[in-house]
């Protein structure tokens, strides 16, 4: 039982499963500079809902989740942004990885649906740098909706001025970041806690109801936006995992290929390559083992024949340095085929995972062939460049290094998407 549970945790959930786990609460990441009043706001909202105080569950020192039964949303409190590089990076990193964690661990309490970006209403400034901070910590949550919350909105004049200023600052930011603008939906002034002006006058709390009701009204849209972000993040994570597996197998195959042993290379490479391909299949949750095995065998077979048959081997042999030693050529062949095979499995299994293709009915053997023709010349081109840079003095190690860099390039190109032919 215990081991079952452990296995369950290790298994990467499908984004559809994550989305289906919906528990009707939305999660709000609360960001803002230090001392702007984030924690005070959270306390005020919890108390307005007659919740016991101190229900925060510490996730890290930097992040705490607050919730109660009545509220249809969770508030995720973060330590404020500060103008010191060291603290800033630490906080940035903690929040950015928190944002990914929900998808990685299928923890609904950690999926981000929207942001309350708190600004101290008395400071009368919004830095472009701070706006960039919101974007950078939520980099993966594309289009995450933002409510700007002006805390400490003690006076009417400030409220009016702040709203104008916020609109101008956001417009300026979005104009200079057209590709990744901030998706600001509301600007809401609040006073979370009474503010005594003198013995006789205290500014009463205000704006909390407005903030709560607008948040609740926006929840369905926020959920929809986050669903597409979840899918994208999930694919990014899987793509990164697949590529690190492919990179390692490529390096391994290159090294094995360079060994001066009198066994046909293909035989020694099969365990490395099929292990890699099975691993990629597992990452993309390919359930049908029969189909997966068939595809893996096809990839291995087609890889070897394409390399040999399409003039690629002779192209490889023609590269200065490759023909010096059989070991170098073998290393290049082994590494190239492994890398291409890995990338092909990454593309095919990813398409199956996102239901773009049905592995059972699609003519994937043809697709495998096409993909090999796409990938191998590029790989050979990279090796040619390496040889030219080093005046033909190349060895198995440098080949392994070049292929590893190439694997990373493919990772970027495939980033969360399937390659369009
Ligand atoms: N009277 C009054 N004081 C407030 C209000 N909001 C914040 N403050 C005060 O401002 C100070 C900072 O508030 P916090 O809620 O701790 O600020 P924070 O954003 O959580 O700060 P960090 O956790 O450092 O990021 C505290 O002394 C609060 O009492 C408010 O609405 N009314
Ligand atoms: Mg705080």
């Amino acid at each position: 039982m215990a081991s079952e549970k452990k296995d369950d945790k290790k298994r990467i959930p499908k984004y559809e499963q994550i989305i289906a786990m919906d528990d009707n609460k939305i999660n709000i990441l609360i960001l803002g500079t230090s001392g702007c009043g984030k924690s005070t706001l959270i306390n005020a909202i919890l108390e307005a809902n007659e919740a016991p105080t101190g229900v925060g569950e510490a996730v890290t020192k930097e992040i705490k989740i607050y919730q109660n039964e009545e509220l249809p949303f969770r508030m995720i409190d973060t330590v404020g942004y500060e103008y010191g590089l060291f603290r800033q990076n630490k906080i940035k990193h903690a929040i950015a990885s928190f944002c990914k964690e929900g998808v990685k661990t299928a923890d609904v309490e950690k999926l981000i649906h929207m942001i309350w970006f708190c600004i101290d209403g008395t400071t009368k400034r919004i830095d472009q740098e701070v706006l960039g901070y919101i974007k950078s910590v939520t980099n993966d949550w594309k289009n995450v909706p933002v409510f700007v919350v002006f805390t400490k909105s003690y006076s009417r004049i400030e409220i009016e001025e702040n709203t104008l200023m916020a609109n101008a600052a956001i417009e300026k930011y979005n104009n200079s970041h057209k590709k990744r603008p901030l998706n600001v939906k509301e600007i809401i002034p609040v006073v979370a806690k009474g503010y005594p002006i003198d013995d006789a006058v205290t500014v009463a709390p205000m704006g909390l109801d407005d903030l709560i009701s607008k948040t609740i009204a926006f929840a369905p849209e926020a959920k929809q936006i986050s669903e597409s972000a979840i899918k994208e993040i999930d694919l990014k994570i899987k793509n990164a995992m697949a590529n690190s597996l492919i990179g390692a197998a490529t390096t391994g195959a290159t090294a094995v290929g360079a060994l001066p042993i009198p066994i046909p290379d293909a035989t020694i490479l099969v365990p490395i390559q099929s292990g890699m391909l099975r691993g990629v299949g597992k990452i993309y949750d390919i359930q049908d083992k029969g189909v997966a095995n068939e595809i893996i065998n096809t990839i291995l077979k087609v890889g070897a024949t394409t390399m040999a048959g399409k003039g690629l081997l002779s192209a490889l042999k023609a590269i200065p340095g490759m023909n010096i030693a059989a070991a170098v050529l073998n290393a290049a062949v082994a590494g190239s085929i492994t890398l291409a095979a890995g990338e092909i499995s990454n593309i095919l299994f990813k398409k199956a995972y996102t239901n773009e293709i049905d592995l059972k009915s699609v003519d994937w053997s043809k697709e495998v062939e096409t993909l090999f023709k796409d990938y191998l010349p590029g790989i050979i081109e990279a090796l040619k460049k390496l040889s030219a840079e080093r005046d033909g003095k190349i060895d198995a190690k440098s080949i392994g290094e070049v292929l590893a860099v190439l694997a990373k390039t493919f990772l970027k190109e495939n980033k969360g998407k399937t390659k369009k032919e």
Side-chain angles (χ1 to χ4, degrees):
M1 192 63 203
S3 71
E4 223 172 76
K5 223 177 174 182
K6 214 173 157 196
D7 272 1
D8 237 28
K9 256 198 166 164
K10 254 197 256 163
R11 204 170 148 265
I12 317 127
K14 203 171 162 126
Y15 63 88
E16 285 162 346
Q17 293 166 338
I18 300 169
I19 292 166
M21 278 186 296
D22 187 336
D23 68 346
N24 290 321
K25 273 196 203 295
I26 65 161
N27 302 329
I28 301 158
L29 186 69
I30 304 182
L31 299 173
T33 47
S34 185
C36 73
K38 297 178 294 296
S39 304
T40 308
L41 176 68
I42 291 169
N43 279 332
I45 287 178
L46 289 172
E47 272 161 32
N49 275 267
E50 291 160 9
T53 48
V55 290
E57 179 216 340
V59 179
T60 68
K61 252 198 327 212
E62 280 80 21
I63 298 157
K64 270 185 179 181
I65 304 174
Y66 290 88
Q67 58 185 310
N68 67 28
E69 275 179 17
E70 297 100 77
L71 277 178
F73 53 82
R74 294 185 189 88
M75 291 174 285
I76 301 163
D77 193 10
T78 63
V79 173
Y81 177 89
E82 276 172 290
Y83 291 88
L85 212 56
F86 180 73
R87 279 287 299 147
Q88 222 178 71
N89 279 339
K90 200 170 163 230
I91 295 165
K92 244 187 194 176
H93 182 75
I95 297 172
S97 53
F98 175 89
C99 289
K100 253 193 199 162
E101 215 177 288
V103 179
K104 260 189 189 158
T105 58
D107 184 349
V108 275
E109 296 200 359
K110 293 179 186 168
L111 300 174
I112 308 300
H113 298 98
M114 64 183 290
I115 289 174
W116 287 349
F117 174 50
C118 297
I119 302 170
D120 184 331
T122 63
T123 60
K124 299 190 178 169
R125 57 184 270 215
I126 306 180
D127 263 309
Q128 294 291 305
E129 185 189 332
V130 177
L131 294 177
Y133 165 75
I134 309 182
K135 212 62 212 179
S136 69
V137 297
T138 56
N139 205 20
D140 293 311
W141 292 88
K142 214 168 152 190
N143 294 331
V144 58
V146 179
F147 281 12
V148 170
V149 180
F150 274 107
T151 55
K152 311 184 191 178
S153 290
Y154 305 134
S155 88
R156 182 177 293 276
I157 291 180
E158 272 168 15
I159 292 173
E160 283 165 10
E161 284 176 358
N162 281 338
T163 308
L164 288 173
M165 176 187 66
N167 277 319
I170 292 155
E171 198 185 324
K172 185 177 169 198
Y173 182 88
N174 285 352
N175 273 333
S176 51
H177 297 85
K178 288 215 164 79
K179 273 193 186 152
R180 293 190 76 82
L182 282 167
N183 186 13
V184 176
K185 294 293 179 187
E186 297 278 353
I187 298 174
I188 303 169
V190 301
V191 175
K193 194 168 84 173
Y195 180 70
I197 306 253
D198 57 33
D199 287 346
V201 184
T202 294
V203 179
M206 68 98 189
L208 296 180
D209 288 346
D210 195 30
L211 174 60
I212 293 171
S213 64
K214 280 182 175 148
T215 298
I216 294 171
F218 193 72
E221 197 178 327
K223 278 224 150 162
Q224 249 175 23
I225 294 172
S226 104
E227 280 178 14
S228 57
I230 288 169
K231 182 175 171 185
E232 209 169 289
I233 296 167
D234 176 43
L235 285 177
K236 254 191 202 169
I237 293 170
K238 287 186 163 62
N239 192 43
M241 288 172 77
N243 273 278
S244 81
L245 199 69
I246 296 163
T250 301
T251 311
T254 310
V256 166
L259 290 175
I261 30 180
I263 310 172
D265 279 327
T267 325
I268 331 176
L269 290 176
V270 165
I272 295 181
Q273 292 177 340
S274 57
M276 166 187 77
L277 297 174
R278 265 200 302 276
V280 176
K282 216 170 168 186
I283 288 170
Y284 289 108
D285 206 28
I286 305 300
Q287 302 284 350
D288 192 328
K289 289 213 169 67
V291 176
N293 280 338
E294 242 182 279
I295 291 179
I296 289 169
N297 288 337
T298 306
I299 291 178
L300 294 178
K301 228 187 312 170
V302 174
T305 49
T306 313
M307 192 67 173
K310 305 285 169 198
L312 291 169
L313 193 60
S314 45
L316 205 56
K317 275 184 188 160
I319 298 174
M322 287 295 177
N323 48 5
I324 292 172
V328 176
L329 181 64
N330 280 347
V333 172
S336 304
I337 291 182
T338 307
L339 177 57
E343 291 308 327
I344 288 166
S345 70
N346 193 12
I347 288 172
L348 277 184
F349 289 147
K350 192 186 294 161
K351 276 186 179 173
Y353 176 75
T354 54
N355 304 319
E356 256 180 84
I357 55 167
D358 176 4
L359 288 180
K360 271 189 200 144
S361 54
V362 82
D363 186 359
W364 40 259
S365 60
K366 209 169 148 203
E367 197 142 345
V368 167
E369 220 181 304
T370 316
L371 285 168
F372 262 113
K373 279 182 214 153
D374 276 359
Y375 270 108
L376 282 172
I379 294 171
I380 290 169
E381 209 45 52
L383 293 174
K384 212 182 208 169
K385 219 173 125 202
L386 170 77
S387 169
E389 272 166 21
R390 304 199 179 174
D391 253 349
K393 291 186 188 67
I394 45 176
D395 54 15
K397 196 167 165 260
S398 57
I399 290 170
E401 280 160 12
V402 166
L403 295 181
V405 172
L406 217 52
K408 276 193 199 139
T409 320
F410 291 146
L411 166 68
K412 273 193 200 139
E413 282 169 4
N414 294 332
K415 218 176 186 179
K417 289 182 213 123
T418 50
K419 199 178 160 184
K420 289 263 173 290
E421 290 92 316

